[in-house]
């Protein structure tokens, strides 16, 4: 089983859930409010399966790093949030950290 594929599915559903948080307008819209919980439940299901084959420290770092990068992209392109140099630099630092953790796992 490809555990990294399962992790990518978990991340994709987590990003969908987070996007629905924004779309729910503070739980005032029913469909996005319900979808938050549906997407997060699916995300945790896939994340749990991914943890069968990936160290939790590596899986969580990838989950957090890619999740941050993807949801920032959704914010910028989908919700027209401002893009700043500091935001881009910070994303590069997060992604670099995730890559570093992943490489450190291979070195051991």
């Amino acid at each position: 089983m490809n555990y990294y594929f399962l992790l990518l599915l978990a991340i994709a559903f987590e990003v969908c859930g987070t996007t629905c948080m924004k779309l729910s307008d503070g739980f005032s819209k029913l469909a996005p409010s319900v979808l938050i919980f549906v997407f997060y439940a699916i995300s945790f299901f896939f994340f749990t399966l991914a943890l069968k084959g990936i160290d939790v420290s590596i899986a969580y770092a990838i989950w957090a790093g890619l999740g941050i990068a993807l949801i920032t992209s959704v914010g910028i392109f989908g919700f027209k949030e401002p893009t700043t140099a500091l935001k881009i630099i910070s994303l590069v630092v997060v992604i670099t950290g995730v890559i570093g953790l992943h490489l450190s796992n291979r070195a051991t």
Side-chain angles (χ1 to χ4, degrees):
M1 181 174 292
N2 190 337
Y3 297 107
Y4 285 95
F5 178 72
L6 294 172
L7 180 58
L8 288 176
L9 286 174
I11 293 166
F13 280 103
E14 185 267 334
V15 170
C16 290
T18 303
T19 302
C20 284
M21 284 183 186
K22 177 73 171 173
L23 295 173
S24 76
D25 196 27
F27 291 111
S28 65
K29 296 180 182 172
L30 181 61
S33 297
V34 171
L35 286 174
I36 293 168
F37 298 99
V38 171
F39 286 137
Y40 269 97
I42 295 169
S43 177
F44 286 137
F45 172 77
F46 284 123
F47 190 66
T48 301
L49 293 178
L51 289 177
K52 290 172 77 173
I54 306 171
D55 291 344
V56 69
S57 60
I58 301 303
Y60 198 78
I62 294 169
W63 162 296
L66 280 179
I68 290 168
L70 291 171
I71 203 63
T72 300
S73 298
V74 168
I76 291 169
F77 297 111
F79 296 114
K80 307 299 183 219
E81 294 175 357
T83 305
T84 64
L86 183 57
K87 190 180 282 190
I88 300 302
I89 291 167
S90 299
L91 279 174
V92 169
V93 169
V94 168
I95 292 168
T96 303
V98 170
I99 292 169
L101 279 172
H102 188 67
L103 293 174
S104 73
N105 191 47
R106 288 185 177 180
T108 57

